[in-house]
Amino acid sequence: MTAERGIPRQAVILVGGEGTRLRPVTSRVPKPVAPVVERPFVAYILDNLARHGVERAIFSTGFLADAIEAVIGDGSGYGLEVSYAVEAEPLGTAGAIANCDGLLDDGPFYVFNGDVLSDVDLSALAATHAAKGGMGTIFLTPVEDPRRYGLVELREDGAVASFLEKPGEWEGTALINAGVYVLEPEVLEMIPRGRLFSIERGVFPKLAAAGSLYGYVDHGYWRDIGTPDSYLQAHFDILERQVDTSVGDVLGEQYLYVAPTAEVTPGARIVPPCYVADGARVGAGARIGPLAVLGAGAVVGEGATVVEAVIQAGVIIGAHAQVEGSILVQGSSVGAGTQLSGAVLGEGCVVGAGNRLAGGICVYPDTELPDNSIQFYEQLRGREGI
Ligand code: GTP
């Protein structure tokens, strides 16, 4: 096996899953293009790939494929060429990679799970891959509770000794499969065509047994955005510049961006870290932030409070409403005086005045709650009451 390997110029991005755990954020918008600080999520992945010399990305799509293509198009807005391999039925993580076969050239390629936010040094991953000379190299990251991930143990030479997918029981920190790989094209030959096949269960254990799978450990920023809590936290991390992104560059040393077209009434307070997008309007006496994103054209009424929250485009928040630890998907609205703590409102939800929703409640799209219809006080997030 040769140690002389080329740097990958191509990538497969897996974006065909239904994103069920992130509903109702993903009820109508596929997870890969769900807005994260006003950008389609996968734009952050494309930025990182382009930064490390990748020229072509192939999106492996299935669920809501057209919606992804409508947002990302040919990739010209993101500095690389994007094409699409669409599945009629979900093929699993390996089947989905094999489905891109005709669009890949015969060099090594990166694979990215389409829900991973990371500024991992891809060039260092590729250099490790080239130096070790295996068929695949996995980016590994340490996590405290690894039970919903694939656990990886390494030998001293960096080869993967064992691969354990989603163990029921585990105590303590462990290295997990971070959902980013470099693979040699020969790996495609191990994948049966046209049927469900998992890379984590069907390919990696075999490569590991053959001594041809290596790990690259990176202690930098990593998070998957697959649940409402982690989606919210990803926003906070970008606002706090814990991960290197173009949005962080815009926020700068003040950790603050207020678009020139936003209207902030004198007397309203914008508390960093905070991002206020184009055409957003903030009423007198309102407070936005810390850790808040106000989407394009969103309206916050006078005296309202928005703290540690994601308010997507076009959302309307009534006067003196209080929103904390919550996600309001585009087109939803909240009436005067309503309090939200740890709530997720789906697209088009209308929550009338005088309600109180808390404790991780998810309200599905287009639900209408009349004025004064719900008083839910439980605080699962452990924050002080609002
Ligand atoms: P949940 O339904 O909430 O588990 O989310 P998910 O559908 O995204 O599944 P998961 O988080 O396990 O998937 C990891 C990545 O692989 C995501 O970016 C998915 O879009 C992608 N993915 C999972 N299964 C498939 C598949 O069958 N085909 C394709 N093309 N991508 C997939």
Side-chain angles (χ1 to χ4, degrees):
M1 208 167 287
T2 172
E4 291 296 317
R5 292 277 177 79
I7 295 295
R9 299 285 176 215
Q10 51 186 353
V12 170
I13 306 181
L14 298 176
V15 288
E18 286 193 37
T20 52
R21 290 164 301 148
L22 189 49
R23 290 176 188 157
V25 175
T26 47
S27 294
R28 299 211 172 135
V29 176
K31 181 166 64 173
V33 292
V36 172
V37 196
E38 293 292 282
R39 301 182 80 211
F41 174 69
V42 80
Y44 295 95
I45 294 178
L46 294 176
D47 285 348
N48 199 13
L49 289 169
R51 199 181 305 143
H52 290 280
V54 171
E55 292 155 359
R56 295 189 311 116
I58 301 155
F59 277 51
S60 175
T61 58
F63 180 71
L64 296 178
D66 292 348
I68 296 176
E69 194 164 345
V71 175
I72 303 299
D74 64 3
S76 48
Y78 303 96
L80 33 64
E81 189 189 308
V82 171
S83 53
Y84 298 86
V86 186
E87 297 162 1
E89 298 289 331
L91 294 174
T93 44
I97 297 169
N99 198 42
C100 299
D101 198 355
L103 295 167
L104 287 164
D105 67 27
D106 61 3
F109 54 93
Y110 293 110
V111 176
F112 246 96
N113 279 358
D115 56 0
V116 169
L117 178 63
S118 176
D119 48 17
V120 55
D121 183 346
L122 291 172
S123 299
L125 169 65
T128 301
H129 178 73
K132 298 293 182 185
M135 283 292 150
T137 304
I138 308 179
F139 160 32
L140 306 174
T141 189
V143 299
E144 278 168 25
D145 181 4
R147 283 173 298 172
R148 66 187 176 96
Y149 302 104
L151 257 70
V152 178
E153 282 179 327
L154 292 181
R155 293 200 313 237
E156 253 177 35
D157 65 351
V160 172
S162 67
F163 199 91
L164 182 61
E165 188 61 11
K166 300 192 174 87
E169 298 289 321
W170 191 271
E171 295 266 320
T173 303
L175 285 177
I176 61 144
N177 166 12
V180 181
Y181 327 116
V182 181
L183 300 179
E184 290 299 313
E186 288 82 352
V187 172
L188 297 170
E189 290 159 21
M190 300 170 63
I191 304 169
R193 295 301 192 266
R195 72 176 174 87
L196 202 63
F197 207 73
S198 152
I199 193 141
E200 297 88 350
R201 294 189 163 85
V203 177
F204 287 156
K206 274 191 196 154
L207 284 177
S212 198
L213 187 65
Y214 288 85
Y216 164 74
V217 181
D218 188 302
H219 293 269
Y221 180 88
W222 179 89
R223 172 179 297 288
D224 82 81
I225 61 149
T227 64
D229 268 347
S230 60
Y231 175 79
L232 194 57
Q233 190 62 48
H235 284 79
F236 300 163
D237 296 342
I238 290 171
L239 291 176
E240 290 188 308
R241 304 186 65 190
Q242 288 185 18
V243 50
D244 188 15
T245 68
S246 58
V247 172
D249 297 342
V250 167
L251 291 163
E253 295 300 311
Q254 307 299 318
Y255 295 80
L256 180 65
Y257 174 74
V258 179
T261 55
E263 289 175 32
V264 180
T265 309
R269 276 190 298 156
I270 309 290
V271 185
C274 192
Y275 186 102
V276 179
D278 277 327
R281 284 187 283 148
V282 182
R287 175 161 69 100
I288 312 295
L291 294 174
V293 174
L294 201 53
V299 177
V300 178
E302 63 178 40
T305 311
V306 176
V307 178
E308 296 185 22
V310 171
I311 311 300
Q312 291 188 0
V315 167
I316 297 173
I317 295 175
H320 304 287
Q322 297 181 326
V323 177
E324 178 248 12
S326 298
I327 303 166
L328 277 60
V329 174
Q330 62 177 340
S332 57
S333 67
V334 171
T338 280
Q339 299 181 354
L340 303 181
S341 175
V344 186
L345 301 188
E347 185 173 327
C349 281
V350 178
V351 175
N355 288 294
R356 182 163 177 149
L357 306 183
I361 189 168
C362 290
V363 186
Y364 276 65
D366 296 332
T367 302
E368 293 190 22
L369 293 177
D371 293 352
N372 304 306
S373 58
I374 293 195
Q375 293 290 313
F376 188 93
Y377 286 93
E378 191 183 353
Q379 297 281 334
L380 288 187
R381 293 179 155 265
R383 295 194 173 94
E384 283 183 17
I386 54 173

